[in-house]
Amino acid sequence: AQAPFWQQRTASAAHRPRRDMGAVASGFAKASHAEGWAALGRGPKLRHIFGAYGSQDVWGVQRRYRQIDDGNGYVSYEDLQQLVGAEEFSLLFIWDLFSQQNELMDIKELLTVVCFFSSARLEEKVKFLLTIFDESKCSVCTGEEVARMSAMVLSILGRCIGAPAVRVKEVSRAMKQDLADIVPAFQEAASLVGLDNAFLRERVIHHSEIGRLLASVESAYERLAVSRAPPPESPPPPLPEWGIIVGGGNQGGGRKGKPPPQHGSSAKELAMSKPEDAEPHLAWMRRFQQEEEG
């Protein structure tokens, strides 16, 4: 069987010793020159949709989700419309590419897509993703949570270049020793309770240690298109407070609607098509300004 794309080393890297966070660094390096990136058009399209997003815009999507979160970790197409203020064409592209059986989409996958293809700094992206994957919400992760975060990013990259699905188990296996080499507290926990137990159960990877996690992947990340200036035609994101009900709290019970029935294009066809001009959140902003002026 062919090795996952993030395990396939390039010729230039074949004789170099393995680096820390090797799975992520290798995945970034492989995706940066994969023919599928341009041929499929999925990565460029996602970069077009979210390229103008900054860190606060990414957090704005997460805040909107908290108001409709019903606890199941998935969103419907109608939820997607509430979360991402994009044109219908762009929403259909995202839904076609990431929804499961045209029914629901994993919210962590959606938030990872928004974050990764935004123009937030790499440190800001990692901080956001660690928060999303930290089940304890106490700013301290397990090794498994870091591996799940990494697998999600690699899975999205793989889908953009047409690579086979990434398995969390494979990424976890590759990262156990990497984390022991990077994070002293994890190494100490592994020496006390064993590598597997430390990886699964010990919360010793603080969000403040982002620098340690980034040191070995930054150069590979900088070769990706998402690290460069966004496309000049990227539509502006909605205001961070767009769609947020002040004092509304968690509304729950998100609607489980499907996309409009006329949706039938494949992800590739959508990626290669021209976007429409209308942006629903821009119309909302104009109404907001008119109300203020009135």
Short mmCIF file of all heavy atoms in Angstrom, two decimals, residues 50-115:
data_model
loop_
_atom_site.label_atom_id
_atom_site.label_comp_id
_atom_site.label_asym_id
_atom_site.label_seq_id
_atom_site.Cartn_x
_atom_site.Cartn_y
_atom_site.Cartn_z
N PHE A 50 -11.41 32.59 1.98
CA PHE A 50 -11.03 32.98 3.34
C PHE A 50 -9.73 33.79 3.41
O PHE A 50 -9.27 34.10 4.50
CB PHE A 50 -10.90 31.73 4.21
CG PHE A 50 -12.18 30.96 4.36
CD1 PHE A 50 -12.31 29.68 3.82
CD2 PHE A 50 -13.27 31.51 5.00
CE1 PHE A 50 -13.50 28.97 3.94
CE2 PHE A 50 -14.47 30.81 5.14
CZ PHE A 50 -14.58 29.54 4.60
N GLY A 51 -9.17 34.15 2.27
CA GLY A 51 -7.88 34.83 2.28
C GLY A 51 -7.90 36.18 2.97
O GLY A 51 -6.88 36.62 3.52
N ALA A 52 -9.03 36.87 2.94
CA ALA A 52 -9.11 38.19 3.58
C ALA A 52 -9.44 38.10 5.07
O ALA A 52 -9.50 39.13 5.74
CB ALA A 52 -10.15 39.05 2.85
N TYR A 53 -9.64 36.91 5.58
CA TYR A 53 -9.93 36.73 7.00
C TYR A 53 -8.66 36.92 7.81
O TYR A 53 -7.61 36.36 7.48
CB TYR A 53 -10.48 35.33 7.28
CG TYR A 53 -11.95 35.14 7.02
CD1 TYR A 53 -12.50 35.39 5.76
CD2 TYR A 53 -12.80 34.66 8.01
CE1 TYR A 53 -13.85 35.20 5.51
CE2 TYR A 53 -14.15 34.46 7.76
CZ TYR A 53 -14.67 34.73 6.52
OH TYR A 53 -16.01 34.55 6.28
N GLY A 54 -8.76 37.69 8.89
CA GLY A 54 -7.69 37.78 9.87
C GLY A 54 -8.04 36.95 11.09
O GLY A 54 -9.08 36.28 11.13
N SER A 55 -7.21 37.03 12.10
CA SER A 55 -7.44 36.23 13.30
C SER A 55 -8.79 36.53 13.95
O SER A 55 -9.52 35.62 14.34
CB SER A 55 -6.31 36.47 14.31
OG SER A 55 -6.52 35.72 15.49
N GLN A 56 -9.14 37.81 14.05
CA GLN A 56 -10.40 38.15 14.73
C GLN A 56 -11.61 37.65 13.93
O GLN A 56 -12.66 37.33 14.51
CB GLN A 56 -10.49 39.65 14.95
CG GLN A 56 -10.58 40.49 13.69
CD GLN A 56 -10.82 41.96 13.99
OE1 GLN A 56 -11.04 42.34 15.13
NE2 GLN A 56 -10.75 42.79 12.96
N ASP A 57 -11.47 37.57 12.61
CA ASP A 57 -12.57 37.06 11.79
C ASP A 57 -12.76 35.56 12.00
O ASP A 57 -13.88 35.05 12.01
CB ASP A 57 -12.29 37.35 10.32
CG ASP A 57 -12.04 38.83 10.06
OD1 ASP A 57 -12.90 39.64 10.44
OD2 ASP A 57 -10.99 39.17 9.50
N VAL A 58 -11.64 34.84 12.16
CA VAL A 58 -11.72 33.41 12.44
C VAL A 58 -12.41 33.17 13.78
O VAL A 58 -13.31 32.31 13.89
CB VAL A 58 -10.31 32.79 12.45
CG1 VAL A 58 -10.37 31.32 12.86
CG2 VAL A 58 -9.65 32.93 11.08
N TRP A 59 -12.03 33.93 14.79
CA TRP A 59 -12.67 33.80 16.10
C TRP A 59 -14.15 34.19 16.03
O TRP A 59 -14.98 33.66 16.77
CB TRP A 59 -11.94 34.65 17.14
CG TRP A 59 -10.67 34.04 17.62
CD1 TRP A 59 -9.40 34.36 17.23
CD2 TRP A 59 -10.53 32.99 18.59
NE1 TRP A 59 -8.48 33.58 17.89
CE2 TRP A 59 -9.13 32.73 18.72
CE3 TRP A 59 -11.43 32.24 19.33
CZ2 TRP A 59 -8.64 31.75 19.58
CZ3 TRP A 59 -10.94 31.27 20.20
CH2 TRP A 59 -9.57 31.04 20.31
N GLY A 60 -14.49 35.13 15.12
CA GLY A 60 -15.88 35.51 14.95
C GLY A 60 -16.74 34.34 14.50
O GLY A 60 -17.88 34.19 14.95
N VAL A 61 -16.21 33.48 13.61
CA VAL A 61 -16.96 32.29 13.18
C VAL A 61 -17.18 31.36 14.36
O VAL A 61 -18.28 30.81 14.54
CB VAL A 61 -16.19 31.56 12.06
CG1 VAL A 61 -16.94 30.28 11.65
CG2 VAL A 61 -15.99 32.46 10.84
N GLN A 62 -16.15 31.20 15.19
CA GLN A 62 -16.28 30.32 16.36
C GLN A 62 -17.32 30.87 17.34
O GLN A 62 -18.10 30.10 17.92
CB GLN A 62 -14.91 30.17 17.02
CG GLN A 62 -14.83 29.06 18.06
CD GLN A 62 -15.04 29.56 19.48
OE1 GLN A 62 -15.13 30.76 19.71
NE2 GLN A 62 -15.12 28.64 20.42
N ARG A 63 -17.35 32.20 17.51
CA ARG A 63 -18.33 32.78 18.43
C ARG A 63 -19.75 32.58 17.90
O ARG A 63 -20.68 32.33 18.67
CB ARG A 63 -18.04 34.26 18.64
CG ARG A 63 -16.85 34.53 19.55
CD ARG A 63 -16.81 35.97 20.00
NE ARG A 63 -16.60 36.88 18.88
CZ ARG A 63 -15.41 37.23 18.42
NH1 ARG A 63 -14.31 36.74 18.98
NH2 ARG A 63 -15.30 38.08 17.42
N ARG A 64 -19.92 32.70 16.59
CA ARG A 64 -21.25 32.47 16.03
C ARG A 64 -21.68 31.03 16.23
O ARG A 64 -22.86 30.75 16.51
CB ARG A 64 -21.25 32.84 14.53
CG ARG A 64 -21.18 34.34 14.27
CD ARG A 64 -21.50 34.68 12.83
NE ARG A 64 -20.42 34.39 11.92
CZ ARG A 64 -19.37 35.19 11.69
NH1 ARG A 64 -19.26 36.33 12.36
NH2 ARG A 64 -18.45 34.85 10.81
N TYR A 65 -20.73 30.10 16.11
CA TYR A 65 -21.08 28.69 16.32
C TYR A 65 -21.54 28.44 17.74
O TYR A 65 -22.48 27.65 17.97
CB TYR A 65 -19.90 27.79 15.98
CG TYR A 65 -20.15 26.36 16.39
CD1 TYR A 65 -21.12 25.60 15.74
CD2 TYR A 65 -19.46 25.79 17.46
CE1 TYR A 65 -21.39 24.30 16.13
CE2 TYR A 65 -19.72 24.48 17.85
CZ TYR A 65 -20.69 23.74 17.18
OH TYR A 65 -20.96 22.47 17.59
N ARG A 66 -20.92 29.09 18.69
CA ARG A 66 -21.30 28.87 20.10
C ARG A 66 -22.75 29.22 20.34
O ARG A 66 -23.38 28.68 21.25
CB ARG A 66 -20.39 29.70 21.01
CG ARG A 66 -18.96 29.15 21.09
CD ARG A 66 -18.05 30.05 21.89
NE ARG A 66 -18.52 30.21 23.26
CZ ARG A 66 -17.92 31.02 24.15
NH1 ARG A 66 -16.86 31.73 23.79
NH2 ARG A 66 -18.37 31.09 25.37
N GLN A 67 -23.32 30.11 19.54
CA GLN A 67 -24.72 30.51 19.73
C GLN A 67 -25.70 29.49 19.15
O GLN A 67 -26.88 29.50 19.52
CB GLN A 67 -24.96 31.89 19.13
CG GLN A 67 -24.20 33.00 19.86
CD GLN A 67 -24.79 34.36 19.57
OE1 GLN A 67 -25.24 34.63 18.46
NE2 GLN A 67 -24.81 35.23 20.56
N ILE A 68 -25.25 28.65 18.24
CA ILE A 68 -26.16 27.65 17.66
C ILE A 68 -25.74 26.23 18.02
O ILE A 68 -26.37 25.26 17.57
CB ILE A 68 -26.24 27.79 16.13
CG1 ILE A 68 -24.88 27.48 15.48
CG2 ILE A 68 -26.73 29.17 15.73
CD1 ILE A 68 -24.95 27.38 13.97
N ASP A 69 -24.70 26.08 18.83
CA ASP A 69 -24.17 24.77 19.18
C ASP A 69 -25.21 23.95 19.93
O ASP A 69 -25.71 24.36 20.98
CB ASP A 69 -22.91 24.95 20.04
CG ASP A 69 -22.26 23.64 20.44
OD1 ASP A 69 -22.63 22.59 19.87
OD2 ASP A 69 -21.39 23.67 21.33
N ASP A 70 -25.54 22.78 19.37
CA ASP A 70 -26.48 21.88 20.06
C ASP A 70 -25.76 20.70 20.70
O ASP A 70 -26.39 19.76 21.17
CB ASP A 70 -27.58 21.40 19.12
CG ASP A 70 -27.04 20.62 17.93
OD1 ASP A 70 -25.81 20.35 17.90
OD2 ASP A 70 -27.82 20.30 17.02
N GLY A 71 -24.42 20.73 20.70
CA GLY A 71 -23.65 19.73 21.41
C GLY A 71 -23.26 18.51 20.63
O GLY A 71 -22.53 17.65 21.14
N ASN A 72 -23.70 18.38 19.35
CA ASN A 72 -23.37 17.16 18.62
C ASN A 72 -22.11 17.29 17.76
O ASN A 72 -21.65 16.30 17.19
CB ASN A 72 -24.56 16.71 17.76
CG ASN A 72 -24.84 17.62 16.58
OD1 ASN A 72 -24.12 18.59 16.34
ND2 ASN A 72 -25.90 17.33 15.85
N GLY A 73 -21.55 18.48 17.64
CA GLY A 73 -20.29 18.67 16.92
C GLY A 73 -20.42 18.74 15.42
O GLY A 73 -19.41 18.72 14.71
N TYR A 74 -21.65 18.85 14.91
CA TYR A 74 -21.86 18.92 13.47
C TYR A 74 -22.77 20.10 13.14
O TYR A 74 -23.54 20.58 13.98
CB TYR A 74 -22.50 17.63 12.95
CG TYR A 74 -21.56 16.44 13.03
CD1 TYR A 74 -21.50 15.66 14.18
CD2 TYR A 74 -20.73 16.12 11.96
CE1 TYR A 74 -20.62 14.58 14.25
CE2 TYR A 74 -19.85 15.05 12.03
CZ TYR A 74 -19.80 14.28 13.18
OH TYR A 74 -18.93 13.23 13.26
N VAL A 75 -22.67 20.57 11.89
CA VAL A 75 -23.51 21.67 11.44
C VAL A 75 -24.21 21.29 10.15
O VAL A 75 -23.69 20.50 9.36
CB VAL A 75 -22.71 22.97 11.23
CG1 VAL A 75 -22.20 23.51 12.56
CG2 VAL A 75 -21.54 22.75 10.26
N SER A 76 -25.39 21.85 9.96
CA SER A 76 -26.16 21.64 8.73
C SER A 76 -25.79 22.72 7.72
O SER A 76 -25.02 23.64 8.01
CB SER A 76 -27.65 21.72 9.04
OG SER A 76 -27.98 23.06 9.42
N TYR A 77 -26.38 22.62 6.54
CA TYR A 77 -26.12 23.65 5.52
C TYR A 77 -26.65 25.00 5.99
O TYR A 77 -26.01 26.04 5.78
CB TYR A 77 -26.76 23.26 4.19
CG TYR A 77 -26.46 24.25 3.10
CD1 TYR A 77 -25.23 24.24 2.46
CD2 TYR A 77 -27.40 25.22 2.73
CE1 TYR A 77 -24.93 25.17 1.47
CE2 TYR A 77 -27.11 26.15 1.74
CZ TYR A 77 -25.88 26.12 1.11
OH TYR A 77 -25.58 27.05 0.15
N GLU A 78 -27.81 25.01 6.62
CA GLU A 78 -28.36 26.27 7.12
C GLU A 78 -27.48 26.85 8.22
O GLU A 78 -27.33 28.07 8.33
CB GLU A 78 -29.79 26.06 7.60
CG GLU A 78 -30.76 25.79 6.47
CD GLU A 78 -32.20 25.65 6.94
OE1 GLU A 78 -32.41 25.59 8.17
OE2 GLU A 78 -33.10 25.60 6.09
N ASP A 79 -26.90 25.98 9.05
CA ASP A 79 -25.94 26.46 10.05
C ASP A 79 -24.74 27.10 9.37
O ASP A 79 -24.25 28.15 9.80
CB ASP A 79 -25.46 25.30 10.93
CG ASP A 79 -26.56 24.69 11.78
OD1 ASP A 79 -27.53 25.41 12.10
OD2 ASP A 79 -26.45 23.49 12.11
N LEU A 80 -24.26 26.46 8.31
CA LEU A 80 -23.12 26.99 7.56
C LEU A 80 -23.42 28.39 7.06
O LEU A 80 -22.55 29.28 7.12
CB LEU A 80 -22.79 26.06 6.39
CG LEU A 80 -21.65 26.49 5.46
CD1 LEU A 80 -20.33 26.56 6.20
CD2 LEU A 80 -21.54 25.54 4.27
N GLN A 81 -24.63 28.62 6.59
CA GLN A 81 -25.02 29.94 6.13
C GLN A 81 -24.95 30.97 7.26
O GLN A 81 -24.60 32.13 7.03
CB GLN A 81 -26.43 29.90 5.55
CG GLN A 81 -26.55 29.12 4.24
CD GLN A 81 -27.99 29.03 3.78
OE1 GLN A 81 -28.86 28.57 4.53
NE2 GLN A 81 -28.23 29.47 2.55
N GLN A 82 -25.29 30.55 8.46
CA GLN A 82 -25.23 31.44 9.61
C GLN A 82 -23.80 31.72 10.06
O GLN A 82 -23.52 32.78 10.63
CB GLN A 82 -26.01 30.84 10.79
CG GLN A 82 -27.52 30.76 10.59
CD GLN A 82 -28.19 30.16 11.81
OE1 GLN A 82 -28.57 29.00 11.82
NE2 GLN A 82 -28.33 30.96 12.85
N LEU A 83 -22.92 30.77 9.83
CA LEU A 83 -21.56 30.88 10.35
C LEU A 83 -20.61 31.61 9.40
O LEU A 83 -19.74 32.36 9.85
CB LEU A 83 -21.00 29.48 10.64
CG LEU A 83 -21.73 28.67 11.70
CD1 LEU A 83 -21.15 27.27 11.80
CD2 LEU A 83 -21.66 29.37 13.05
N VAL A 84 -20.76 31.37 8.11
CA VAL A 84 -19.84 31.92 7.11
C VAL A 84 -20.61 32.87 6.20
O VAL A 84 -21.47 32.44 5.44
CB VAL A 84 -19.18 30.81 6.28
CG1 VAL A 84 -18.24 31.40 5.25
CG2 VAL A 84 -18.43 29.84 7.19
N GLY A 85 -20.31 34.15 6.28
CA GLY A 85 -21.01 35.14 5.47
C GLY A 85 -20.45 35.22 4.07
O GLY A 85 -19.84 36.22 3.70
N ALA A 86 -20.63 34.17 3.29
CA ALA A 86 -20.09 34.12 1.93
C ALA A 86 -21.23 33.98 0.93
O ALA A 86 -22.37 33.69 1.28
CB ALA A 86 -19.11 32.95 1.79
N GLU A 87 -20.89 34.19 -0.34
CA GLU A 87 -21.87 34.02 -1.40
C GLU A 87 -22.33 32.57 -1.47
O GLU A 87 -21.63 31.65 -1.05
CB GLU A 87 -21.24 34.44 -2.73
CG GLU A 87 -20.01 33.64 -3.06
CD GLU A 87 -19.21 34.22 -4.21
OE1 GLU A 87 -19.38 35.40 -4.51
OE2 GLU A 87 -18.42 33.46 -4.79
N GLU A 88 -23.50 32.36 -2.03
CA GLU A 88 -24.08 31.02 -2.10
C GLU A 88 -23.16 30.05 -2.84
O GLU A 88 -23.01 28.89 -2.45
CB GLU A 88 -25.45 31.08 -2.80
CG GLU A 88 -26.22 29.78 -2.77
CD GLU A 88 -26.89 29.51 -1.43
OE1 GLU A 88 -26.78 30.34 -0.52
OE2 GLU A 88 -27.53 28.45 -1.31
N PHE A 89 -22.53 30.52 -3.91
CA PHE A 89 -21.64 29.67 -4.69
C PHE A 89 -20.52 29.13 -3.82
O PHE A 89 -20.17 27.95 -3.89
CB PHE A 89 -21.07 30.48 -5.86
CG PHE A 89 -20.15 29.69 -6.74
CD1 PHE A 89 -20.64 28.99 -7.82
CD2 PHE A 89 -18.79 29.63 -6.48
CE1 PHE A 89 -19.81 28.25 -8.64
CE2 PHE A 89 -17.94 28.89 -7.28
CZ PHE A 89 -18.44 28.21 -8.37
N SER A 90 -19.93 29.99 -2.98
CA SER A 90 -18.82 29.58 -2.12
C SER A 90 -19.29 28.61 -1.05
O SER A 90 -18.59 27.64 -0.73
CB SER A 90 -18.17 30.81 -1.47
OG SER A 90 -17.60 31.65 -2.45
N LEU A 91 -20.49 28.87 -0.51
CA LEU A 91 -21.02 27.96 0.51
C LEU A 91 -21.26 26.57 -0.06
O LEU A 91 -20.97 25.56 0.58
CB LEU A 91 -22.32 28.53 1.08
CG LEU A 91 -22.22 29.82 1.89
CD1 LEU A 91 -23.61 30.33 2.26
CD2 LEU A 91 -21.38 29.62 3.15
N LEU A 92 -21.78 26.52 -1.29
CA LEU A 92 -22.02 25.23 -1.93
C LEU A 92 -20.71 24.49 -2.21
O LEU A 92 -20.65 23.26 -2.10
CB LEU A 92 -22.79 25.43 -3.24
CG LEU A 92 -24.26 25.88 -3.09
CD1 LEU A 92 -24.85 26.23 -4.44
CD2 LEU A 92 -25.09 24.80 -2.40
N PHE A 93 -19.68 25.24 -2.57
CA PHE A 93 -18.37 24.63 -2.79
C PHE A 93 -17.86 23.98 -1.51
O PHE A 93 -17.41 22.83 -1.50
CB PHE A 93 -17.38 25.68 -3.28
CG PHE A 93 -15.96 25.19 -3.35
CD1 PHE A 93 -15.52 24.46 -4.44
CD2 PHE A 93 -15.08 25.42 -2.31
CE1 PHE A 93 -14.22 23.98 -4.49
CE2 PHE A 93 -13.78 24.95 -2.35
CZ PHE A 93 -13.35 24.22 -3.45
N ILE A 94 -17.92 24.71 -0.39
CA ILE A 94 -17.46 24.19 0.91
C ILE A 94 -18.27 22.96 1.29
O ILE A 94 -17.74 21.94 1.72
CB ILE A 94 -17.57 25.28 1.99
CG1 ILE A 94 -16.63 26.45 1.68
CG2 ILE A 94 -17.24 24.71 3.37
CD1 ILE A 94 -16.88 27.68 2.52
N TRP A 95 -19.58 23.07 1.13
CA TRP A 95 -20.47 21.95 1.50
C TRP A 95 -20.20 20.72 0.65
O TRP A 95 -20.13 19.60 1.14
CB TRP A 95 -21.92 22.40 1.35
CG TRP A 95 -22.92 21.40 1.83
CD1 TRP A 95 -23.68 20.55 1.08
CD2 TRP A 95 -23.26 21.13 3.20
NE1 TRP A 95 -24.47 19.77 1.89
CE2 TRP A 95 -24.24 20.11 3.20
CE3 TRP A 95 -22.85 21.67 4.41
CZ2 TRP A 95 -24.80 19.61 4.36
CZ3 TRP A 95 -23.41 21.17 5.58
CH2 TRP A 95 -24.36 20.16 5.55
N ASP A 96 -20.02 20.92 -0.65
CA ASP A 96 -19.77 19.80 -1.55
C ASP A 96 -18.47 19.09 -1.21
O ASP A 96 -18.37 17.87 -1.32
CB ASP A 96 -19.71 20.33 -2.99
CG ASP A 96 -19.61 19.22 -4.02
OD1 ASP A 96 -20.64 18.61 -4.34
OD2 ASP A 96 -18.48 18.96 -4.51
N LEU A 97 -17.49 19.85 -0.77
CA LEU A 97 -16.16 19.29 -0.52
C LEU A 97 -16.06 18.61 0.83
O LEU A 97 -15.35 17.60 0.97
CB LEU A 97 -15.11 20.41 -0.63
CG LEU A 97 -13.64 20.01 -0.62
CD1 LEU A 97 -13.32 19.01 -1.74
CD2 LEU A 97 -12.76 21.25 -0.76
N PHE A 98 -16.77 19.11 1.85
CA PHE A 98 -16.53 18.64 3.21
C PHE A 98 -17.73 18.00 3.91
O PHE A 98 -17.55 17.39 4.97
CB PHE A 98 -16.02 19.79 4.08
CG PHE A 98 -14.67 20.32 3.66
CD1 PHE A 98 -14.56 21.53 3.02
CD2 PHE A 98 -13.52 19.57 3.89
CE1 PHE A 98 -13.31 22.02 2.64
CE2 PHE A 98 -12.28 20.04 3.51
CZ PHE A 98 -12.17 21.28 2.87
N SER A 99 -18.93 18.13 3.39
CA SER A 99 -20.08 17.54 4.10
C SER A 99 -20.05 16.03 4.00
O SER A 99 -19.49 15.45 3.06
CB SER A 99 -21.40 18.09 3.53
OG SER A 99 -21.59 17.64 2.20
N GLN A 100 -20.66 15.39 4.96
CA GLN A 100 -20.73 13.94 5.01
C GLN A 100 -22.08 13.48 4.49
O GLN A 100 -23.11 13.74 5.11
CB GLN A 100 -20.50 13.45 6.45
CG GLN A 100 -19.16 13.89 7.01
CD GLN A 100 -18.96 13.44 8.45
OE1 GLN A 100 -19.69 12.62 8.97
NE2 GLN A 100 -17.94 14.00 9.09
N GLN A 101 -22.07 12.83 3.31
CA GLN A 101 -23.28 12.33 2.66
C GLN A 101 -24.32 13.45 2.46
O GLN A 101 -25.52 13.23 2.52
CB GLN A 101 -23.89 11.19 3.47
CG GLN A 101 -22.96 9.98 3.60
CD GLN A 101 -23.57 8.85 4.40
OE1 GLN A 101 -24.52 9.05 5.15
NE2 GLN A 101 -23.03 7.66 4.23
N ASN A 102 -23.82 14.66 2.22
CA ASN A 102 -24.68 15.81 1.94
C ASN A 102 -25.65 16.11 3.09
O ASN A 102 -26.72 16.69 2.89
CB ASN A 102 -25.48 15.60 0.65
CG ASN A 102 -25.92 16.92 0.04
OD1 ASN A 102 -25.21 17.92 0.13
ND2 ASN A 102 -27.09 16.92 -0.58
N GLU A 103 -25.29 15.71 4.30
CA GLU A 103 -26.18 15.88 5.44
C GLU A 103 -25.62 16.86 6.48
O GLU A 103 -26.28 17.82 6.85
CB GLU A 103 -26.43 14.53 6.13
CG GLU A 103 -27.25 13.55 5.29
CD GLU A 103 -28.73 13.91 5.26
OE1 GLU A 103 -29.15 14.72 6.10
OE2 GLU A 103 -29.44 13.38 4.40
N LEU A 104 -24.41 16.58 6.95
CA LEU A 104 -23.81 17.37 8.03
C LEU A 104 -22.33 17.58 7.77
O LEU A 104 -21.71 16.85 7.01
CB LEU A 104 -24.01 16.67 9.38
CG LEU A 104 -25.44 16.47 9.86
CD1 LEU A 104 -25.46 15.55 11.08
CD2 LEU A 104 -26.10 17.80 10.20
N MET A 105 -21.77 18.56 8.46
CA MET A 105 -20.34 18.85 8.36
C MET A 105 -19.76 18.94 9.76
O MET A 105 -20.37 19.53 10.67
CB MET A 105 -20.13 20.16 7.61
CG MET A 105 -18.67 20.52 7.39
SD MET A 105 -18.51 22.01 6.36
CE MET A 105 -16.72 22.19 6.37
N ASP A 106 -18.60 18.33 9.96
CA ASP A 106 -17.90 18.36 11.24
C ASP A 106 -17.48 19.80 11.53
O ASP A 106 -16.78 20.43 10.75
CB ASP A 106 -16.67 17.45 11.15
CG ASP A 106 -15.93 17.31 12.46
OD1 ASP A 106 -15.98 18.25 13.30
OD2 ASP A 106 -15.26 16.28 12.66
N ILE A 107 -17.92 20.34 12.68
CA ILE A 107 -17.62 21.74 12.98
C ILE A 107 -16.13 21.98 13.16
O ILE A 107 -15.61 23.03 12.77
CB ILE A 107 -18.40 22.21 14.24
CG1 ILE A 107 -18.14 23.70 14.51
CG2 ILE A 107 -18.04 21.37 15.45
CD1 ILE A 107 -18.51 24.63 13.36
N LYS A 108 -15.41 21.01 13.70
CA LYS A 108 -13.97 21.19 13.84
C LYS A 108 -13.29 21.26 12.48
O LYS A 108 -12.33 22.01 12.29
CB LYS A 108 -13.37 20.06 14.68
CG LYS A 108 -13.71 20.14 16.16
CD LYS A 108 -13.03 19.03 16.95
CE LYS A 108 -13.38 19.15 18.43
NZ LYS A 108 -12.75 18.05 19.23
N GLU A 109 -13.81 20.51 11.53
CA GLU A 109 -13.25 20.56 10.18
C GLU A 109 -13.54 21.92 9.55
O GLU A 109 -12.66 22.52 8.92
CB GLU A 109 -13.82 19.44 9.32
CG GLU A 109 -13.18 19.34 7.96
CD GLU A 109 -13.55 18.06 7.23
OE1 GLU A 109 -14.72 17.63 7.32
OE2 GLU A 109 -12.66 17.48 6.57
N LEU A 110 -14.76 22.41 9.72
CA LEU A 110 -15.10 23.73 9.17
C LEU A 110 -14.22 24.82 9.78
O LEU A 110 -13.67 25.66 9.06
CB LEU A 110 -16.58 24.04 9.43
CG LEU A 110 -17.03 25.46 9.06
CD1 LEU A 110 -16.82 25.73 7.58
CD2 LEU A 110 -18.48 25.69 9.46
N LEU A 111 -14.11 24.83 11.10
CA LEU A 111 -13.30 25.85 11.76
C LEU A 111 -11.84 25.74 11.35
O LEU A 111 -11.14 26.76 11.22
CB LEU A 111 -13.45 25.73 13.28
CG LEU A 111 -14.84 26.08 13.84
CD1 LEU A 111 -14.90 25.78 15.34
CD2 LEU A 111 -15.17 27.55 13.58
N THR A 112 -11.35 24.53 11.15
CA THR A 112 -9.97 24.34 10.71
C THR A 112 -9.78 24.88 9.30
O THR A 112 -8.76 25.51 8.99
CB THR A 112 -9.58 22.86 10.76
OG1 THR A 112 -9.74 22.37 12.09
CG2 THR A 112 -8.11 22.67 10.36
N VAL A 113 -10.75 24.66 8.43
CA VAL A 113 -10.68 25.19 7.06
C VAL A 113 -10.62 26.71 7.09
O VAL A 113 -9.77 27.34 6.44
CB VAL A 113 -11.89 24.71 6.23
CG1 VAL A 113 -11.99 25.49 4.92
CG2 VAL A 113 -11.78 23.22 5.94
N VAL A 114 -11.55 27.33 7.83
CA VAL A 114 -11.58 28.79 7.92
C VAL A 114 -10.25 29.32 8.43
O VAL A 114 -9.68 30.27 7.89
CB VAL A 114 -12.74 29.25 8.82
CG1 VAL A 114 -12.69 30.77 9.00
CG2 VAL A 114 -14.08 28.83 8.25
N CYS A 115 -9.75 28.70 9.48
CA CYS A 115 -8.51 29.15 10.12
C CYS A 115 -7.31 28.95 9.20
O CYS A 115 -6.52 29.88 8.97
CB CYS A 115 -8.30 28.38 11.42
SG CYS A 115 -6.74 28.70 12.24
#
